[in-house]
Amino acid sequence: MLLQRIFRAVIMGPPGSGKGTVSGRIVKSFGLMHLSSGDLLRANIKAKTELGLLMKSCIDQGQLVPDDVISRLILTEMRNIDQSSWLLDGFPRTVSQAESLDNVYSVDTVINLDVPYQTIKQRLTSRWLHLPSGRVYNIDFNPPKIAGLDDVTGEPLIQRHDDTPETVTRRLKAYENQTQPVLEYYRCRRKPEPYKLSKKRNVLSLLTAFIFSKLKYLHMLYEHNM
Ligand code: ATP
Ligand code: MG
């Protein structure tokens, strides 16, 4: 039986750094499932769910929603996609969220989009969104084919309530204080690269691999005889 390895990635970066746009391209090229915490929250607000209504003022003010609420929401949603490879966008955004994720899944890769704040502020005021799909456009450098309409469905685009200059400043502060430590968290728990192993450890691992291959061979012979 051919076992396919599941690949789990997280994309990070300040608000407006292009996580949604870049994620769209990555999932298309590599066939991953995409889960965006912001899209999920906005879908809840649009559907007027109890959670959506409770979280709306938090989001409109540029604050993060409480860790336990978002962790429960995302981890529940992830059960639908955990048989596939996935890319998480917008979660985790605090160290506590990263720990909740670590308790259930081990993340293979963290992508960080490093964009200067001045660029972000300019970008966000010209950003337009197709709410049902999360597709993002920018009238300066990634415009829709027809102004104000989504390329795929032809439905109207909207501007986000939290893309005003004052709210963007608050979101950047939240990013600095709460999300940047998550990058440090992932940097610290990075597994050692094979090439960084000492010569002694390399010899040891080669020896272990050799012994295991012999054991496997004996096991195969044994099974064959049965
Ligand atoms: P962009 O989508 O441009 O990258 P962003 O990262 O600020 O910008 P979203 O990810 O769409 O925006 O999130 C919008 C808002 O939803 C956030 O400002 C925050 O209030 C809330 N939110 C989303 N994800 C989380 C999270 N993991 N923890 C807490 N709040 C969140
Ligand atoms: Mg986003």
Side-chain angles (χ1 to χ4, degrees), residues 21 23 27 37 86 100 147 153 161 199 223:
T21 309
S23 296
V27 297
S37 56
W86 45 250
S100 309
T153 62
H161 293 300
K199 218 172 173 181
E223 276 202 331

Side-chain angles (χ1 to χ4, degrees), residues 156-185:
L157 303 176
I158 58 144
Q159 277 203 292
R160 277 171 44 176
H161 293 300
D162 56 348
D163 276 353
T164 60
E166 311 79 61
T167 316
V168 168
T169 306
R170 243 176 278 143
R171 281 161 61 199
L172 288 173
K173 276 254 152 353
Y175 172 77
E176 252 172 36
N177 296 334
Q178 290 159 279
T179 310
Q180 266 179 342
V182 180
L183 287 175
E184 217 35 57
Y185 171 87

Side-chain angles (χ1 to χ4, degrees), residues 13-20 36-39 41-42 55 58-60 62-67 70-71 74 89-94 97 124 127 136 160 162-163 171:
S17 54
K19 296 188 291 287
S36 152
S37 56
D39 289 350
L41 287 167
R42 281 184 288 278
M55 296 304 127
C58 221
I59 295 170
D60 284 349
Q63 289 164 352
L64 294 188
V65 307
D67 284 337
I70 191 75
S71 297
I74 289 284
D89 156 7
F91 183 92
R93 240 188 181 81
T94 64
Q97 292 176 20
L124 286 182
R127 167 161 89 168
V136 183
R160 277 171 44 176
D162 56 348
D163 276 353
R171 281 161 61 199

Side-chain angles (χ1 to χ4, degrees), residues 20 23 26 28-29 38 72 77-78 86 91 130 156 169 172 193 206 224:
S23 296
I26 293 176
K28 208 165 147 201
S29 305
R72 211 169 329 122
E77 198 65 24
M78 285 176 77
W86 45 250
F91 183 92
H130 177 242
T169 306
L172 288 173
E193 310 279 337
L206 274 176
H224 190 71

